[in-house]
Amino acid sequence: MMNEPPCKGCMASVRLTASELERLIAEYGERENEPLATTAEYFRRLSQCGQCSALVYETTCRHSGMLIQYVARLQNKGCPHPDGGKW
């Protein structure tokens, strides 16, 4: 991992490699049997998150504490913004 700031809650890095991210998504999908968002929907969601003032470290949602690249990939998840979801 790069020398990135740790997550305040878990002290882990806030940056994941593509393979680490895919492994986490696959594990969650197997455990929860949750479908993935389409590639187009995933990138639309990431674009919305990228424009949000609640994005911290360019990776993490301030409202949920989740890595946006992770949660945006899960079809049945939504944006947790308190003023209404952005996606």
Side-chain angles (χ1 to χ4, degrees), residues 26-64:
E27 287 173 2
Y28 182 84
E30 289 172 7
R31 186 176 64 246
E32 302 296 326
N33 197 29
E34 184 164 340
L36 299 180
T38 65
T39 301
E41 179 64 9
Y42 171 69
F43 284 112
R44 186 188 73 76
R45 290 174 175 189
L46 287 182
S47 176
Q48 291 295 319
C49 291
Q51 299 172 32
C52 184
S53 62
L55 181 63
V56 293
Y57 305 123
E58 299 177 356
T59 60
T60 308
C61 175
R62 178 177 294 135
H63 301 294
S64 70

Side-chain angles (χ1 to χ4, degrees), residues 16 18 23 25 58 61 84:
L16 296 176
R23 180 184 53 79
I25 292 167
E58 299 177 356
C61 175

